[in-house]
Amino acid sequence: MRYGPIVFLAAFLTLSASWCGFVLTPQIQLGRAVQETNSVVKAELYPQGRPGLARAGLEVYRADGCFYCHSQQVDQKKTLVDVFLTDAGKTPTAVAQALEDAHAGTFSAPGLAAGLPKPVLRNATMESASVLASLLKKAGATAELHLAPAGPDIERGWGARRTVAQDFISDSTVMLGSQRVGPDLANVGARLPDENWQLMHLYAPRSVTKDSPMPSYPFLFERRKTGQHPAPDALQQLPKEFAPPAGYEIVPKPEARALVAYLLSLRSDTPLYEAPLTPPAPPAAATNAPAK
Amino acid sequence: MNSPTNQPVTSAPRDNSGTKDPAVPIWLIVVLFLLVYWGAVYFDEHGGWFDSQVYTPYVSAEQLKTFQVSGGPNPFEEGRAVYAKTCVACHQANGQGAPGTFPPLAGSDWVNEPQPGRMIRIVLQGFSGPGLTIKGQPFNTGSAMVPWNGLSDDDLAAVITFVRGNKEWGNNASPVTPEQVHAIREKVKNHPLSFTPAEIEQISPAD
C-alpha cells in the first residue's frame, strides 16, 4: 500500500467536496429560511404553516406511502408575459415607434392613449417582453407585466407556478416524491377543495374517477351498522356499486379526516418573489342586482 | 538512445517512451480547454450563480428582479389584512370598538382628520390617558393602546389607509403613503411611548 495515503486523501477530498456542495451549501443558503411576505398581498406571510389536524395528516400520508405514487413538486419551463401599456407618456409617436421596433405590431400614435391599460403584447417570451419594456421606458411610457407561468405540469392544472424551497419550510418531513403514477399533489388543496370528494376518493377511488389506478383505502373508514342516530359524517353520495348494504354506513376514522385536512392544506399558488405570477383577477363583488 | 544496438527492435519502445513525447497529447488539452470553456459559458447562462432565489426559467437575480409583479392590489386591501391581524381584537371587525374601553374608529373625528399626522403618531407610539372623548363617549379606563412601531412603514400605511378610507364604516379620509409614516416615525423616535390626548391636541393637525 505505497499509495494508501494518497488514495485515502483523494477519496476523502472527493466525498467532502460533494458533501459541501450538496449538504453544506444548501444548508447555509436555505437552512434558516423563515416565512416571507407574499409578493402581491404584502401583509400576508408565506407559508402559513399547517393546522394541527393537517400536521397529523402528514404522518398518515407518510405511513400509507402516498409519496410512492404522488409527487409534490411542480415544474415550470417558462413564463409567458403580457405587456400592458398603462401610460402612453408625452411622446406617443416615440412609443408607437418603440412598439414597432419590438415587433409588437403597428399602433397609431394618436390612438395610443385611449383605453388604457391595454395589452400591447400577448404571451411573449421573457426576452422579448424585457426588450419591449426597456424600449417603452426609453420612449417615456410606462408598462406593466402580467406573468403567466407555463409548462407541462402547469398546463395539466397541477399548480399555478413552480414549487420552490419556500413551499416546504413548515414541514419537517418533506414529501417531495419521485414517481408520478398519480397526479402531482403540490396544489391539490386549491384544485380539489371538496372534503366530501376527497373522502369518497380515499374510500373508493373509482367511485369518483372512473379509470383511476389508485388503490382504495377502506381501512381509513369504519363500516358499521346504522344505529338509531345515523352518523352525520357518514359518506352519503357513494354510487350504488360502492355503497354499503342497507342498514350499514361508512364513517371516516380520524386518520381519514387528518389525511384529508393535510391534502386540503397543500397549496402552491401564492405569488412569491422567486416564483412571481400575476394572480387571476378577483371575481366582481357579490351583488343582488338581477343578472343581465 | 542508450539501448545497445544489438537489442531487438520490438523491445525498443519501452526505453523510448516518455522521454521526449509529452505525457498528454496537445489535442486532448485543447479539447479539455474547450469543454471547460463551454461549461463555464453554460453555467453563466443557466446557473443563476448559485443564487438560492433563482429557479428555472429565470437565469439571474437581475432578471428575476425585472419580472416582479408590478402594482399589485391596492393598499386598502393589504390594510384589511393587517387590520384583521393587529387591530381587530380591540377595535372589532366593524370598527366600533367597545364602549368605555376601546374607542370606535368608524366615524371618529380622530380618524377622519384631513391630515393623517396625528393618527400615524397614535398608531406608532400608542395612546393612553385621561380626558379622551370620542363621539360623545368618555374613554377614561386604564386600558392603553399598544404601540405598533414594530410594523413596517408599508404595513402601517396600508392599515391607516384602510381605516381612514373605509366607506363601509362611514370614514372617507385621504390615503397614507409609507413615506409619510416614515417621516413621522423619524420625528417621534425619541418620544416616550404612549401619547396622551393632551399631547396629541398640541400637535398641529397639518404636521
Side-chain angles (χ1 to χ4, degrees):
Chain A
M1 283 302 279
R2 243 174 83 201
Y3 296 109
I6 295 175
V7 171
F8 172 79
L9 199 66
F12 178 77
L13 285 178
T14 309
L15 290 176
S16 53
S18 71
W19 182 83
C20 287
F22 288 111
V23 180
L24 184 64
T25 314
Q27 180 63 32
I28 291 169
Q29 285 190 324
L30 301 167
R32 287 173 203 178
V34 290
Q35 290 177 316
E36 65 182 42
T37 46
N38 177 327
S39 75
V40 172
V41 186
K42 300 269 176 356
E44 261 177 28
L45 288 174
Y46 183 84
Q48 291 279 319
R50 303 196 192 287
L53 192 57
R55 231 166 247 269
L58 172 63
E59 296 306 317
V60 181
Y61 188 92
R62 176 152 79 150
D64 289 338
C66 306
F67 55 86
Y68 285 122
C69 295
H70 291 284
S71 59
Q72 289 183 17
Q73 38 185 332
V74 178
D75 191 16
Q76 178 181 339
K77 295 288 183 219
K78 54 189 173 177
T79 303
L80 298 176
V81 188
D82 292 345
V83 182
F84 280 73
L85 192 66
T86 48
D87 181 7
K90 285 172 188 153
T91 50
T93 40
V95 176
Q97 185 62 41
L99 286 166
E100 194 150 353
D101 290 347
H103 308 292
T106 314
F107 290 82
S108 74
L112 268 179
L116 296 177
K118 64 178 168 191
V120 289
L121 196 62
R122 286 266 190 200
N123 289 337
T125 60
M126 292 193 283
E127 287 75 20
S128 51
S130 16
V131 168
L132 176 59
S134 65
L135 282 177
L136 284 177
K137 201 174 174 188
K138 261 184 217 157
T142 46
E144 203 176 283
L145 304 181
H146 285 214
L147 309 175
D153 285 7
I154 289 161
E155 275 148 38
R156 287 186 183 107
W158 286 352
R161 55 157 174 84
R162 66 161 303 132
T163 44
V164 296
Q166 189 70 22
D167 291 321
F168 303 105
I169 63 169
S170 63
D171 292 333
S172 58
T173 313
V174 177
M175 294 294 165
L176 276 182
S178 58
Q179 311 258 356
R180 282 177 165 177
V181 181
D184 190 275
L185 297 181
N187 201 31
V188 71
R191 57 190 179 85
L192 294 166
D194 182 355
E195 190 181 357
N196 192 43
W197 187 96
Q198 296 283 359
L199 285 168
M200 279 166 62
H201 186 246
L202 286 174
Y203 177 71
R206 279 155 296 282
S207 71
V208 285
T209 310
K210 199 172 153 245
D211 293 322
S212 169
M214 184 170 128
S216 51
Y217 291 84
F219 53 86
L220 296 176
F221 298 81
E222 190 186 344
R223 194 174 104 158
R224 64 187 188 204
K225 271 198 173 134
T226 312
Q228 216 167 10
H229 303 289
D233 56 349
L235 298 187
Q236 301 291 349
Q237 295 157 2
L238 283 171
K240 227 179 194 175
E241 61 266 43
F242 302 99
Y248 286 86
E249 60 186 3
I250 305 292
V251 183
K253 288 185 191 169
E255 294 94 303
R257 300 215 151 273
L259 180 53
V260 169
Y262 172 66
L263 290 174
L264 296 186
S265 78
L266 289 173
R267 292 189 72 129
S268 60
D269 53 356
T270 306
L272 294 177
Y273 180 84
E274 58 265 46
L277 74 131
T278 304
T287 169
N288 280 338
K292 279 171 193 161
Chain B
M1 291 295 168
N2 51 4
S3 60
T5 49
N6 58 355
Q7 279 283 322
V9 181
T10 46
S11 70
R14 182 191 157 95
D15 294 322
N16 271 346
S17 63
T19 50
K20 274 187 180 172
D21 298 337
V24 182
I26 297 291
W27 66 265
L28 189 57
I29 293 178
V30 172
V31 167
L32 279 178
F33 175 78
L34 287 176
L35 274 176
V36 168
Y37 180 73
W38 174 77
V41 170
Y42 189 88
F43 169 76
D44 185 37
E45 281 180 5
H46 301 270
W49 286 94
F50 295 124
D51 191 306
S52 63
Q53 293 209 298
V54 177
Y55 293 85
T56 318
Y58 305 95
V59 296
S60 68
E62 294 81 50
Q63 193 207 23
L64 184 61
K65 210 171 176 181
T66 63
F67 280 98
Q68 288 307 310
V69 181
S70 47
N74 52 22
F76 186 83
E77 288 304 318
E78 280 169 23
R80 190 190 294 276
V82 179
Y83 186 86
K85 254 180 234 168
T86 40
C87 320
V88 77
C90 297
H91 293 291
Q92 305 300 316
N94 56 8
Q96 293 294 348
T101 321
F102 307 124
L105 301 173
S108 162
D109 293 343
W110 292 76
V111 169
N112 284 294
E113 280 182 342
Q115 293 296 320
R118 288 175 168 180
M119 181 169 172
I120 295 174
R121 282 180 172 82
I122 292 173
V123 181
L124 269 174
Q125 297 291 91
F127 198 43
S128 70
L132 179 60
T133 306
I134 293 176
K135 288 170 82 178
Q137 283 184 29
F139 289 91
N140 284 332
T141 54
S143 65
M145 174 159 161
V146 187
W148 290 104
N149 50 14
L151 294 180
S152 70
D153 293 341
D154 286 340
D155 282 358
L156 285 171
V159 75
I160 295 172
T161 299
F162 169 74
V163 171
R164 281 169 60 85
N166 198 326
K167 297 198 176 68
E168 291 165 35
W169 297 355
N171 294 349
N172 192 12
S174 59
V176 176
T177 63
E179 288 73 36
Q180 285 175 300
V181 176
H182 185 74
I184 303 243
R185 193 193 286 270
E186 290 299 310
K187 277 184 201 167
V188 298
K189 218 166 31 182
N190 297 323
H191 187 279
L193 292 180
S194 259
F195 278 101
T196 60
E199 275 178 319
I200 291 285
E201 303 266 15
Q202 280 169 9
I203 295 162
S204 153
D207 184 23

